[in-house]
Amino acid sequence: MRHKGRLKIGPTVGAMFGLLAAGATMQSLSLPFWREHYRPPSADLSNIAADQLLFAVAGFREMIAGILWVRADAYFNEGNYDAILPMIRVVTYLDPKQIDVYATGMWHIAYNFTDSESRADRRNIPIAVAFGKEGAKNNPHTYELFYETGWLWYHRIQDDFPNAVYWFDEAAKREDMLPARKNLLAHARLRNNDADGALKTFYQFYRDAETLYEKDKQRGSFANLQTIEGNLDNLLVRMSQRGFFAQKNGTYESGDYDTKPPYDVKFSVRVSVIEPRVLEVDGTWNVYPVGTRVKCILRDADYPGGREAGLEWDSGDANDFSAPRDRTYMQDELFVRNLQFRRTINMSRDPTIYPFRGDKYYLDFFYTPRIAPEHLKDKYGWNGEGFTDSNFLRTDVREGQRVVFYRMELTRDQLLRRREFAMEGGIIPTFKTDNYVPPTSRSGSSSVLTPAGEPEQTPAPGQ
Amino acid sequence: MHAVFAIARTTIGEAIRRRVLLVILLIALLLLVVAPGMNVLTARQSQTVLTSLILGVLQLSSAVIAIVLTVYMLPNEVERRTIYTILSKPVLRWQFLLGKYLGAVGALGLMMAMMTGTMILVFALVQRGASTDLLTGLARVPIMFFVQMCLLAAVAVFFSTFVQPVVNFFLSGGVYLVGTVFGSLFSTISENQNLPMVAKIGSNLIMWLVPNFAQYNVQNSVINQGSVIVSEQVYYAQMVIYGIVYISILLLAGMLIFDRREV
């Protein structure tokens, strides 16, 4: 039926087009604001289940992220660590503002994947670094992920210290950083051989702490002030005793400082492959006080990003969390006691972490005074000026550092005890430094020692 | 306008009596009440998860209510022949449609207000240390959701003038999905150098025609506290006006069709 009061087509359509133009204009004005402040970045959601994907694309990303994180927490409690990684990836794709998920994810990736002897699977560390960088980029308003990324470099990687300084410095620029945590920036500067910078940083923090205490005289502020004061005192004393000031004013040569003369640590080592994937390492280190840990690293010779005593740690890809699963990277520490170290490294129970698919391997021994405990650094100095080794001191391995470095080359057959190195009637692959001296407790051992890289053609015991 | 408001009032009363809507509302309220059961994480993460969950429940339930409320509105009137009684009175068709829409929006607003109240109450009880900022944020986000749902209801009312309810349900849901997804993807598409010009023009056309629902998803800043957003109120005001503009377009289009439809 026709009725009166119909809307006229022409004016109505005209009004609609006018409104449409107005709407489009408004959208072009408001869309950039929304993108900047509310929209999660574009992400690869291919790992997410279909039902979750539907909800996620329909605008419920944060809700799905929350539910997945609760599920991930349940996996944590069950110890099902492998299942957590994809969850972490998806949650941070869905909601890149979830700082705790980034922080927990970095810690989880870098620390929790260990072999049966509690050695971390360090193939994951570049991923953790990349993940931290991504988190910091997505959350630049808070110090937290800058701090966590700095902590990875400072505590987990313990190498390439300019990176630790950079990330702690970025964290300290954020107003929400806890004062007590800022001290790590100064400590990172010390590890980076920048005692002057560390001193300036401590002075700055001291002034800040004083101001804070003036404003708010509570116990926390006072404790912070005292901690920084203590740190400053210690640093000034050490700078003096280690001859730092003397070096700057040119009187170091004539003075008597703790770091003079350089102390020879007399490193030596012997390595035997006693069973397939099992190394026995022993050697000497001419330092009585405890606290020395010599890094021992075994990896594929062609490991991606491999270098002397480590990797290019800042080379990971956080997009798919995939470490090179077909490569081997083992890192352990040789703890020195009574001038010697001895350790059995058993990689036989973890074939997924140590697949040994390549043909050639490097076994590196590395020590840098930069990460030595303070009581040892009192002798070595911050940069190893009071430290030497008559055989293995190197200054070309890490720029500007005096380190001990020694490399052995092993083959897959040796590590897996195959062919001429077979357990039954084969020879025991044994390597040593030229200066190796068997510890007295092991005198009379039947092991035959050979120069590094040349396994002795000796039948296995019992043959 | 008297007729319009009279129809709106009646529609609100009808909506409140509809069992299907009450069931959806009840489920939503139940979910909001049990949501704190997920309180198993660290304090901050627990707050983040709880906030994201309750806001998600609120938004999802509101979307379902908005669609279910509106898709049956006109067809039911036609099917029950009550529309003849109304249109035989001095009520124009556009007034009828507008009245129905405003009634639907009123009922939706009541239900969303109830859910928001429950949400804030539950949150304040469970997260006793929650900041005022967070609670204000929790009250603010549903305002944007409400505008978003009004827009969705307008889409459903527009379709209800010429399609069956079941088809309308999926059509409106589809428009909501496209409007949400496309808002996020548009920049990626427009910045893609390898895309043919035709595709770019097409994407611009969709961007113009389909209301951008994504821009009402402002919950992230409340869920993840800490980010500072300058002139947020201006943005909110812009988005309310944007919503009114598209609602007007959809209602005008619906009125044009409904005016010429045989009932």
Side-chain angles (χ1 to χ4, degrees):
Chain A
M1 63 179 185
R2 290 182 67 82
H3 59 92
K4 288 178 180 176
R6 264 186 175 186
L7 292 177
K8 289 180 179 165
I9 290 182
T12 312
V13 171
M16 281 166 59
F17 272 107
L19 286 168
L20 206 58
T25 312
M26 288 188 68
Q27 183 165 238
S28 63
L29 292 174
S30 59
L31 199 57
F33 187 90
W34 178 76
R35 274 197 210 118
E36 186 186 345
H37 295 291
Y38 303 110
R39 185 190 71 157
S42 302
D44 173 14
L45 299 177
S46 54
N47 288 327
I48 195 169
D51 53 338
Q52 293 162 354
L53 181 67
L54 181 68
F55 277 99
V57 296
F60 303 96
R61 294 172 79 123
E62 292 90 352
M63 184 174 82
I64 296 297
I67 292 169
L68 285 175
W69 191 235
V70 171
R71 203 191 289 177
D73 187 69
Y75 287 142
F76 261 119
N77 294 336
E78 291 164 13
N80 187 0
Y81 291 159
D82 287 325
I84 297 164
L85 277 189
M87 292 269 190
I88 288 169
R89 185 61 283 182
V90 171
V91 170
T92 48
Y93 273 154
L94 290 173
D95 187 0
K97 300 285 180 191
Q98 296 229 10
I99 296 158
D100 280 357
V101 180
Y102 270 112
T104 312
M106 285 167 68
W107 159 75
H108 182 53
I109 295 165
Y111 286 84
N112 285 353
F113 290 93
T114 59
D115 66 12
S116 47
E117 293 187 339
S118 301
R119 268 184 302 267
D121 183 354
R122 286 177 185 261
R123 296 174 302 177
N124 292 321
I125 287 180
I127 300 168
V129 171
F131 195 49
K133 286 168 72 177
E134 179 193 302
K137 189 181 160 200
N138 287 332
N139 298 279
H141 62 281
T142 176
Y143 81 98
E144 291 189 52
L145 294 167
F146 294 90
Y147 173 81
E148 296 293 343
T149 311
W151 180 252
L152 265 186
W153 285 102
Y154 181 82
H155 179 260
R156 196 57 174 155
I157 297 171
Q158 296 194 337
D159 204 347
D160 301 327
F161 301 107
N163 287 301
V165 171
Y166 169 78
W167 288 100
F168 284 145
D169 193 30
E170 285 296 317
K173 286 176 190 168
R174 269 77 191 169
E175 284 182 4
D176 61 336
M177 188 172 187
L178 303 173
R181 287 189 162 187
K182 286 186 177 177
N183 292 333
L184 271 174
L185 173 59
H187 292 296
R189 288 199 199 286
L190 287 173
R191 285 195 176 180
N192 196 33
N193 191 33
D194 180 14
D196 248 349
L199 190 64
K200 282 178 192 157
T201 307
F202 272 135
Y203 271 124
Q204 178 61 48
F205 291 162
Y206 186 73
R207 284 192 292 273
D208 294 348
E210 273 186 323
T211 313
L212 189 68
Y213 181 62
E214 285 303 314
K215 277 186 196 163
D216 183 12
K217 288 193 188 313
Q218 56 168 299
R219 218 166 100 186
S221 310
F222 184 63
N224 182 44
L225 186 66
Q226 280 193 316
T227 304
I228 297 172
E229 197 172 335
N231 283 336
L232 252 174
D233 280 350
N234 282 338
L235 181 58
L236 286 166
V237 169
R238 284 179 177 137
M239 286 172 99
S240 173
Q241 288 180 341
R242 295 176 190 177
F244 182 84
F245 298 121
Q247 284 179 45
K248 286 186 83 175
N249 61 29
T251 58
Y252 184 71
E253 295 306 319
S254 58
D256 183 19
Y257 296 101
D258 291 353
T259 47
K260 288 170 67 178
Y263 185 78
D264 188 350
V265 294
K266 292 182 184 166
F267 169 73
S268 79
V269 67
R270 180 183 66 167
V271 178
S272 303
V273 186
I274 55 173
E275 282 177 38
R277 301 166 194 257
V278 182
L279 304 181
E280 189 174 79
V281 184
D282 67 272
T284 58
W285 187 266
N286 189 34
V287 177
Y288 262 116
V290 292
T292 301
R293 293 172 188 276
V294 179
K295 272 189 195 174
C296 166
I297 296 153
L298 176 70
R299 67 166 170 90
D300 281 81
D302 60 350
Y303 194 99
R307 59 172 176 164
E308 287 95 343
L311 296 178
E312 297 295 344
W313 300 106
D314 193 3
S315 62
D317 179 3
N319 281 325
D320 59 358
F321 281 0
S322 62
R325 302 283 169 220
D326 57 339
R327 309 297 177 98
T328 298
Y329 186 96
M330 184 286 300
Q331 181 173 321
D332 209 327
E333 288 180 333
L334 307 168
F335 185 69
V336 178
R337 188 177 311 197
N338 295 330
L339 306 179
Q340 54 187 273
F341 54 84
R342 179 172 182 156
R343 183 156 176 79
T344 303
I345 298 170
N346 188 345
M347 294 169 279
S348 65
R349 284 170 289 192
D350 304 281
T352 53
I353 298 180
Y354 311 115
F356 290 112
R357 298 223 180 117
D359 290 328
K360 189 177 163 191
Y361 295 85
Y362 291 146
L363 180 59
D364 292 349
F365 295 91
F366 180 78
Y367 183 84
T368 172
R370 293 269 183 100
I371 54 171
E374 289 303 325
H375 66 281
L376 294 176
K377 264 198 257 189
D378 283 340
K379 176 63 206 161
Y380 301 155
W382 281 291
N383 202 32
E385 57 270 30
F387 164 92
T388 192
D389 185 287
S390 42
N391 298 296
F392 305 108
L393 183 75
R394 295 274 295 270
T395 53
D396 57 336
V397 173
R398 291 289 183 273
E399 194 183 346
Q401 293 187 48
R402 291 162 63 84
V403 304
V404 164
F405 178 75
Y406 181 68
R407 169 171 285 176
M408 295 174 174
E409 289 184 16
L410 289 83
T411 65
R412 187 181 184 210
D413 287 345
Q414 289 165 347
L415 284 162
L416 300 184
R417 298 294 303 270
R418 301 193 314 187
R419 298 196 175 94
E420 67 265 40
F421 308 104
M423 289 296 288
E424 300 295 323
I427 52 176
I428 304 172
T430 303
F431 313 86
K432 72 175 186 67
T433 55
D434 290 337
N435 64 334
Y436 175 77
V437 180
T440 49
S441 60
R442 295 180 65 228
S443 60
S445 162
S446 60
S447 299
V448 177
L449 310 176
T450 64
E454 294 174 24
E456 172 62 32
Q457 307 280 317
T458 308
Q463 296 299 309
Chain B
M1 287 306 280
H2 177 73
V4 172
F5 289 123
I7 293 167
R9 268 198 304 277
T10 318
T11 309
I12 293 174
E14 279 172 12
I16 288 169
R17 284 193 295 275
R18 279 181 66 186
R19 282 183 194 156
V20 63
L21 291 174
L22 293 178
V23 168
I24 297 167
L25 181 66
L26 197 69
I27 291 170
L29 291 172
L30 204 66
L31 281 172
L32 289 173
V33 172
V34 301
M38 287 207 167
N39 195 1
V40 291
L41 303 161
T42 60
R44 181 172 65 178
Q45 199 57 33
S46 159
Q47 185 171 297
T48 305
V49 169
L50 182 61
T51 318
S52 65
L53 189 71
I54 57 181
L55 284 173
V57 167
L58 175 72
Q59 192 182 14
L60 188 61
S61 322
S62 304
V64 175
I65 290 173
I67 296 180
V68 172
L69 186 65
T70 42
V71 290
Y72 288 103
M73 233 164 40
L74 283 186
N76 273 359
E77 295 283 353
V78 175
E79 198 179 311
R80 290 184 204 146
R81 299 179 190 281
T82 44
I83 194 167
Y84 298 118
T85 326
I86 299 165
L87 293 182
S88 62
K89 294 185 171 127
V91 174
L92 299 174
R93 285 194 177 197
W94 69 263
Q95 289 176 323
F96 177 74
L97 195 76
L98 185 61
K100 291 303 267 184
Y101 173 75
L102 290 179
V105 163
L108 182 67
L110 280 177
M111 291 181 190
M112 285 186 73
M114 197 183 288
M115 285 191 283
T116 305
T118 310
M119 177 181 79
I120 293 173
L121 189 70
V122 167
F123 197 85
L125 285 174
V126 176
Q127 302 276 325
R128 286 183 189 276
S131 64
T132 322
D133 276 357
L134 181 58
L135 292 175
T136 319
L138 276 179
R140 199 175 59 228
V141 171
I143 297 171
M144 283 289 102
F145 285 172
F146 177 65
V147 182
Q148 187 183 44
M149 295 315 150
C150 289
L151 194 50
L152 180 58
V155 172
V157 165
F158 165 68
F159 284 128
S160 74
T161 57
F162 60 95
V163 295
Q164 292 303 307
V166 177
V167 181
N168 189 354
F169 185 88
F170 289 104
L171 262 178
S172 303
V175 169
Y176 180 71
L177 200 65
V178 171
T180 306
V181 176
F182 209 74
S184 299
L185 292 181
F186 179 68
S187 57
T188 318
I189 294 170
S190 56
E191 284 159 16
N192 188 350
Q193 302 291 329
N194 302 324
L195 213 63
M197 189 51 78
V198 182
K200 283 193 179 183
I201 292 170
S203 81
N204 272 305
L205 210 66
I206 295 174
M207 199 64 186
W208 267 50
L209 287 175
V210 181
N212 187 342
F213 288 96
Q215 288 194 78
Y216 294 95
N217 293 334
V218 293
Q219 62 270 50
N220 201 289
S221 62
V222 176
I223 292 168
N224 301 294
Q225 292 276 298
S227 48
V228 180
I229 301 174
V230 183
S231 29
E232 196 173 17
Q233 286 82 358
V234 177
Y235 174 76
Y236 277 30
Q238 273 182 347
M239 290 322 297
V240 171
I241 298 169
Y242 174 80
I244 292 170
V245 166
Y246 268 87
I247 288 167
S248 307
I249 295 168
L250 287 160
L251 289 182
L252 282 174
M255 286 166 188
L256 275 182
I257 296 169
F258 188 53
D259 256 355
R260 282 151 187 81
R261 185 181 152 185
E262 289 293 331
V263 291

